[in-house]
Amino acid sequence: MNHKQITAPKELRTVIVRGIRSALLELGSATKAELCQHLGISFPTASKFLAQLQKRGELIAVGYDDSSGGRRAKRYAYHADYMLGLAIFMEKTETNYVIFNCLGEIKDEGTTAGALESDAEHLTQQIAGMIAKYPKISSIAIGVPGAVNNGRIIYIPGYEHFRDLNLKLHLESRFAIPVVVENDMNAAVLGYSRNGAAGNSLLVYICFGQNGPGAGLLINGDVVRGKSFFTGEVSFLPQYEHLNFGQALSRQGRDKASSLLTDAQVDAISRLVAAFTAIINPHTIIFSRDEVEISSLERITNRSADYIPGEHLPKLSLGNLKKDYLDGLQYLGLELMISGAGESPLL
């Protein structure tokens, strides 16, 4: 007698698989009963999905719990190296990358020749070499110094050959691997928030950068992108009669290799801090420790108080921009892997 196989809708199957992956990565290991309670699914449903995930190598059995009178419960863990992620951020002179597993453990990292001053094909060839070496790469997260609208680079000053390029579509069509493309400062503020800043529901991350100043804004855990994905392009903010922030910051020929700020630069930055304070009243504003010294934070705070009441000013902090940037990209890449974007669904 033939029995028709009853399957859950595709969307529900995706939700269940994502839930199992997330739970096991969060908990470290779990029994079938614990997963049922954690995810709110039935025991038969959990049994079915666990069996299929274990069959294709995503899960591993890590032993049995002590018996409480009945059968000993089998405990499962996620196979962290089943999928790998690739995170890349492009700067003017170099391209930095990390390859990581589902626990965020770094499998490889390094720096290659910059692709921004070349073209998308140069970047594509670099990625092809990494995938050839690590064929388990299942997601790609790329950070760029420009505004991005759903994978399309809509503003990237100095690199017009990348403007209007849908980098996400370009790479996905080449490699059949899900891709996310993000603005550099959006990735950085997201990464900073994942590293012990969870209590700060309003964050601003400011960088002066090789390609001009930019900012990432995070409100209640969500990156703010704006109507046309142009949020954070602070170089355009008017500050003086004939100068915007970008011009004011560089009017004395700022030494990009130095973290020493002139009085004029402190004033320009303080006006920016005051503007953010008046508009969104953030908990913390973060600067790159490679661009701002600790002693400059007090100067900026004192000068900002000339423009706005001091009791409303945010905490000023220093971040490790490269680490925060890559951590943010890793988080976005991990989200793609856990969601199963681009993979064959379970039956």
Side-chain angles (χ1 to χ4, degrees):
M1 180 178 181
N2 292 328
H3 294 276
K4 183 178 180 181
Q5 186 177 22
I6 300 175
T7 59
K10 180 179 178 181
E11 295 78 9
L12 180 56
R13 295 198 300 269
T14 300
V15 169
I16 293 172
V17 171
R18 178 188 176 92
I20 292 173
R21 287 170 174 158
S22 298
L24 290 177
L25 290 171
E26 175 187 344
L27 300 173
S29 68
T31 64
K32 198 177 298 183
E34 288 170 345
L35 286 172
C36 290
Q37 182 177 11
H38 191 84
L39 301 175
I41 59 177
S42 68
F43 201 82
T45 297
S47 297
K48 170 187 171 181
F49 280 89
L50 287 173
Q52 293 186 40
L53 289 170
Q54 187 175 15
K55 183 178 179 180
R56 72 184 192 185
E58 284 200 57
L59 307 185
I60 53 177
V62 292
Y64 291 85
D65 283 3
D66 293 335
S67 174
S68 57
R71 295 178 60 185
R72 298 170 64 196
K74 183 183 289 187
R75 184 162 288 276
Y76 298 89
Y78 195 77
H79 183 195
D81 290 341
Y82 177 77
M83 295 184 286
L84 300 178
L86 169 61
I88 293 175
F89 78 78
M90 298 193 293
E91 293 190 304
K92 182 176 182 178
T93 58
E94 62 188 25
T95 297
N96 297 275
Y97 70 90
V98 295
I99 295 169
F100 57 95
N101 68 11
C102 292
L103 289 177
E105 297 168 339
I106 304 301
K107 313 302 287 187
D108 196 1
E109 61 184 324
T111 301
T112 64
L116 278 176
E117 295 189 308
S118 183
D119 54 25
E121 186 55 30
H122 182 77
L123 174 65
T124 302
Q125 291 302 319
Q126 289 178 328
I127 293 173
M130 297 173 193
I131 293 174
K133 186 176 179 180
Y134 295 96
K136 288 188 177 181
I137 288 176
S138 303
S139 74
I140 302 171
I142 298 182
V144 298
V148 181
N149 182 348
N150 295 315
R152 181 181 296 277
I153 302 172
I154 61 174
Y155 174 75
I156 185 165
Y159 311 103
E160 293 303 313
H161 49 288
F162 275 93
R163 185 174 179 179
D164 291 328
L165 171 66
N166 191 325
L167 188 57
K168 171 182 168 66
L169 182 62
H170 171 80
L171 295 175
E172 285 183 342
S173 63
R174 175 65 180 272
F175 299 113
I177 293 173
V179 176
V180 59
V181 183
E182 183 60 279
N183 166 267
D184 52 0
M185 297 314 299
N186 287 348
V189 74
L190 185 59
Y192 182 89
S193 74
R194 307 294 299 178
N195 292 316
N200 294 332
S201 57
L202 279 80
L203 298 174
V204 178
Y205 207 131
I206 298 173
C207 173
F208 308 139
Q210 295 180 5
N211 304 288
L217 284 70
L218 187 135
I219 298 179
N220 295 326
D222 294 323
V223 172
V224 180
R225 294 183 171 84
K227 181 196 77 165
S228 60
F229 297 83
F230 204 67
T231 298
E233 298 297 336
V234 295
S235 62
F236 292 101
L237 282 174
Q239 288 199 327
Y240 302 91
E241 186 175 355
H242 300 296
L243 297 175
N244 60 32
F245 177 65
Q247 293 165 339
L249 196 65
S250 60
R251 61 180 163 176
Q252 293 183 349
R254 182 176 70 88
D255 182 359
K256 295 183 180 181
S258 173
S259 58
L260 296 174
L261 299 176
T262 66
D263 289 342
Q265 289 160 355
V266 167
D267 185 67
I269 296 167
S270 299
R271 288 170 183 255
L272 183 63
V273 168
F276 275 123
T277 302
I279 296 169
I280 64 170
N281 197 198
H283 290 91
T284 305
I285 292 181
I286 308 105
F287 299 93
S288 169
R289 66 181 58 169
D290 294 328
E291 297 179 332
V292 176
E293 290 188 327
I294 292 178
S295 60
S296 294
L297 296 184
E298 183 176 359
R299 295 169 64 202
I300 294 169
T301 297
N302 292 338
R303 186 59 174 162
S304 298
D306 290 339
Y307 300 113
I308 206 158
E311 63 267 27
H312 302 298
L313 290 172
K315 174 186 175 182
L316 302 186
S317 182
L318 297 180
N320 182 335
L321 180 61
K322 182 176 180 179
K323 181 180 185 303
D324 295 333
Y325 192 171
L326 285 172
D327 283 350
L329 291 175
Q330 284 185 62
Y331 172 77
L332 294 171
L334 182 59
E335 285 289 290
L336 278 183
M337 288 193 286
I338 292 175
S339 70
E343 72 179 5
S344 299
L346 297 176
L347 297 177

